[in-house]
Amino acid sequence: MTLSPAFPCNQCGACCRLVSLAQETQFLDRGDGACRHYDDQNRLCTIYDTRPLVCQVEKQYLLNYQQQYSWWEFIDVNRIACLELEKMAAQPAE
């Protein structure tokens, strides 16, 4: 099932570069906070078609959140999180 509209991902890679921040994605950390499947140069997932369930927005919604939120509400909540991650990813490393 494909939800409409599609989740508005701008492919910035912030969620992939900050997997160490969430307990649900820490297992993907390659040691520097970024996902071990993230290609820094191309800014793409190297296993996109077989990526873990936690990385699949639509499936996460259908499996875990559709009883709590409409698809539009889920998009809104996650876009807020995306914008925060983008800000964090843009900050220079200390």
Side-chain angles (χ1 to χ4, degrees), residues 44-59:
L44 296 171
C45 177
T46 60
I47 61 161
Y48 186 82
D49 291 335
T50 58
R51 69 196 184 279
L53 187 59
V54 70
C55 302
Q56 299 179 44
V57 176
E58 288 185 2
K59 285 187 181 177

Side-chain angles (χ1 to χ4, degrees), residues 46-91:
T46 60
I47 61 161
Y48 186 82
D49 291 335
T50 58
R51 69 196 184 279
L53 187 59
V54 70
C55 302
Q56 299 179 44
V57 176
E58 288 185 2
K59 285 187 181 177
Q60 282 296 311
Y61 171 74
L62 293 171
L63 290 171
N64 300 304
Y65 299 101
Q66 68 178 330
Q67 302 302 321
Q68 297 169 281
Y69 303 104
S70 71
W71 177 235
W72 282 102
E73 291 169 328
F74 188 75
I75 287 173
D76 288 343
V77 167
N78 281 279
R79 281 302 299 148
I80 292 167
C82 288
L83 294 172
E84 287 301 314
L85 287 173
E86 285 181 49
K87 286 180 199 174
M88 294 174 75
Q91 294 175 354

Side-chain angles (χ1 to χ4, degrees), residues 6-13 15 57 79 82:
F7 185 78
C9 177
N10 65 8
Q11 297 180 330
C12 71
C15 57
V57 176
R79 281 302 299 148
C82 288

